[in-house]
Amino acid sequence: EKILNKDHKEFVQALFNWMMDLKKRDVESSNMNYYGQDVNGRHILAFQGSFIDKFMEGRQDFVYAAYGTVLLLELILRKVEEGNAESQEVSDSDLTKNCKNEFIVLEDQGGFSLKALSTMQSNRWFIKTISSLLIGSAPIRLQKILMFNANKFFRALYAIIKVFLPKKMKDRVEFIGYDLDRVVEITGGFDFTPVIFEGGKLARVDFGDDVEKLEELILEVFPSSKLC
């Protein structure tokens, strides 16, 4: 049994409570969500800019969101490992699309507001942390970041933060205006497009409501609260 100091116990409980609160609210626009795989087997992460206004009020929310993103990636990668194990049992050459660790990120920034711009400017460290995670720290291959419907407020933010972003991250970013056809082209069809985009049919993947397992996962992935 893990022996935790008081501060870490409080952190685990606070992170757990924050994540449970998100599940009770507007789930589709809460933090980064996972929508399964596109036609090429790449894992799809999607994010809505309106999330900032709805849920992010101060630095602590950004801290929890950073930890929550790490937990989400951990859950996805565990599913990849399970797919690897199942495929190896069948045949070394019969690897299914579940075995890939390739990712694409789809962002709908139409709901990004002036308030969100101010909030993100005060928490630029969050963007740098998530960028470093997606590009280098996590064992994933990020192939594309589509910025859909990016309004003037988000473009103003990007102009400020892009100087801090790794070149690998900037090379993968593509602004596509309100070009839904481009989203569908990247995913491989409406059947492989998240429901947050008009006509999309992929629902958010729910990793379950087992609160005991969530607490265990937090303790396992974060033996100490040193990420942020």
Side-chain angles (χ1 to χ4, degrees):
E1 183 179 351
K2 295 181 182 294
I3 300 176
L4 306 176
N5 62 44
K6 181 180 178 181
D7 288 344
H8 191 212
K9 284 183 179 179
E10 291 176 350
F11 157 76
V12 170
Q13 187 62 53
L15 176 59
F16 174 80
N17 291 342
W18 187 84
M19 296 183 72
M20 287 297 98
D21 184 53
L22 286 188
K23 289 178 71 67
K24 295 175 184 176
R25 296 162 74 182
D26 188 356
V27 175
E28 286 297 342
S29 64
S30 60
N31 203 12
M32 191 84 76
N33 281 318
Y34 177 54
Y35 287 87
Q37 292 166 283
D38 70 3
V39 71
N40 295 309
R42 298 175 299 185
H43 299 279
I44 301 172
L45 297 175
F47 176 81
Q48 291 177 287
S50 57
F51 168 77
I52 306 298
D53 275 358
K54 291 181 179 180
F55 300 105
M56 310 298 274
E57 297 178 358
R59 185 182 188 279
Q60 198 63 51
D61 289 315
F62 283 93
V63 171
Y64 293 146
Y67 280 101
T69 301
V70 173
L71 289 172
L72 176 61
L73 291 176
E74 175 67 20
L75 287 168
I76 297 170
L77 291 172
R78 289 186 182 193
K79 290 180 71 69
V80 172
E81 290 178 1
E82 290 172 5
N84 276 330
E86 292 172 2
S87 296
Q88 291 290 350
E89 289 176 4
V90 177
S91 167
D92 286 342
S93 60
D94 184 29
L95 296 180
T96 69
K97 68 178 184 179
N98 294 324
C99 302
K100 294 186 177 182
N101 67 339
E102 298 170 352
F103 284 70
I104 59 175
V105 177
L106 310 176
E107 299 193 16
D108 180 357
Q109 295 293 356
F112 195 85
S113 68
L114 178 59
K115 175 186 174 184
L117 171 60
S118 176
T119 303
M120 292 302 295
Q121 279 185 285
S122 302
N123 291 277
R124 281 177 285 183
W125 64 268
F126 174 76
I127 299 172
K128 293 170 66 176
T129 298
I130 296 301
S131 298
S132 298
L133 175 68
L134 294 176
I135 289 295
S137 302
I140 67 174
R141 295 169 60 192
L142 181 63
Q143 294 197 333
K144 176 69 71 174
I145 304 173
L146 283 188
M147 297 296 186
F148 175 78
N149 197 23
N151 60 28
K152 63 181 181 180
F153 299 121
F154 182 80
R155 288 180 178 276
L157 174 68
Y158 189 76
I160 295 170
I161 66 171
K162 67 180 180 180
V163 296
F164 303 105
L165 297 178
K167 184 178 184 301
K168 281 186 177 181
M169 174 68 77
K170 288 186 285 190
D171 289 345
R172 287 160 174 75
V173 173
E174 179 182 348
F175 283 82
I176 61 172
Y178 199 82
D179 188 354
L180 185 60
D181 290 340
R182 178 57 175 158
V183 177
V184 176
E185 177 187 353
I186 289 293
T187 62
F190 284 106
D191 287 341
F192 303 96
T193 301
V195 295
I196 64 173
F197 297 96
E198 185 179 356
K201 297 180 181 179
L202 274 187
R204 184 187 69 89
V205 174
D206 191 344
F207 287 98
D209 294 316
D210 192 328
V211 294
E212 184 175 328
K213 286 186 178 180
L214 176 58
E215 286 186 297
E216 290 176 359
L217 179 65
I218 294 173
L219 288 169
E220 181 180 343
V221 177
F222 304 119
S224 64
S225 48
K226 298 293 186 182
L227 178 65
C228 302

